[in-house]
């Protein structure tokens, strides 16, 4: 007789990451693995992974690690041996919503969507987060800032426009082509 032990996959995870690009790929892999183990639909997994990537990238570009002091520049660390970093977390709630969060030491500005030009090399991250999530926001804590996003896992939340209004960033792709024959 074979004894099968079911390994329970957690409905929530928190991981500490280095303050830099190295941790982004590791966090994406872990999030994808855990959501797939919960049989979350692939489009939701893809959206969640992209949102996590955007939030982590914004964090290491624009904010301090969690252990930095308020007078230091983003990314500046007092002691190279000090384990400073970013915290990423996700959770599937009983309500069928997936919460994705990234916590850092805050930065000189508040996280807000930008309105980049068509040729800009960046500035689209929070606009992407806004369009892929039901809701997103920023939560302040002592010495830290958390940017979060909610995604539907169950079909009853599938309509994004049923919830609170979002900040939409209008992009008119027709303008650059008006003069073409």
């Amino acid at each position: 007789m074979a004894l099968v032990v079911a390994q329970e996959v957690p409905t929530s995870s928190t991981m500490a990451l280095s303050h830099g690009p190295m941790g982004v790929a590791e966090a994406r892999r872990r999030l994808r693995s855990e959501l797939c183990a919960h049989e979350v639909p692939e489009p939701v997994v893809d959206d969640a992974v992209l949102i996590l990537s955007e939030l982590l990238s914004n964090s290491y570009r624009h904010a301090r690690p969690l252990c930095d002091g308020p007078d230091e520049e983003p990314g500046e660390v007092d002691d190279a041996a000090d384990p400073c970093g970013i915290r990423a977390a996700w959770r599937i709630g009983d309500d069928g919503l997936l919460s994705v969060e990234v916590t850092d030491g805050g930065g000189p500005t508040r996280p807000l969507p930008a309105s980049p030009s068509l040729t800009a090399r960046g500035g689209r991250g929070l606009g992407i987060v806004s369009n892929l999530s039901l809701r997103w926001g920023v939560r302040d804590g002592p010495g830290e800032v958390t940017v979060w996003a909610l995604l539907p896992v169950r079909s009853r939340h599938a309509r994004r426009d049923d919830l609170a209004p979002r900040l939409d960033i209008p992009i008119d792709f027709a303008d650059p082509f008006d003069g073409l024959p």
Side-chain angles (χ1 to χ4, degrees), residues 18-139:
S18 63
H19 188 265
M22 299 293 286
V24 177
E26 177 187 351
R28 286 193 314 240
R29 280 191 298 274
R30 183 166 160 190
L31 175 61
R32 181 175 296 282
S33 172
E34 290 182 12
L35 293 181
C36 287
H38 277 287
E39 299 179 358
V40 172
E42 191 66 29
V44 176
V45 173
D46 291 342
D47 287 354
V49 168
L50 180 55
I51 286 171
L52 181 64
S53 294
E54 292 296 338
L55 296 181
L56 286 170
S57 296
N58 283 349
S59 179
Y60 82 75
R61 284 187 187 118
H62 304 293
R64 292 178 295 272
L66 285 168
C67 65
D68 276 359
D71 298 330
E72 297 173 23
E73 289 298 313
E76 182 181 328
V77 179
D78 286 337
D79 178 7
D82 195 9
C84 299
I86 302 169
R87 188 171 55 245
W90 49 89
R91 180 178 72 81
I92 300 174
D94 293 336
D95 57 0
L97 294 175
L98 168 63
S99 169
V100 177
E101 300 181 351
V102 171
T103 304
D104 55 43
T109 60
R110 187 98 173 134
L112 293 171
S115 298
S117 70
L118 288 175
T119 58
R121 299 184 83 175
R124 293 175 181 81
L126 289 176
I128 291 169
V129 170
S130 177
N131 283 308
L132 293 179
S133 64
L134 292 171
R135 292 187 297 266
W136 75 275
V138 180
R139 184 174 62 242

Side-chain angles (χ1 to χ4, degrees), residues 134-155:
L134 292 171
R135 292 187 297 266
W136 75 275
V138 180
R139 184 174 62 242
D140 294 304
E144 63 183 42
V145 173
T146 300
V147 182
W148 56 268
L150 291 176
L151 293 93
V153 174
R154 299 186 186 144
S155 61

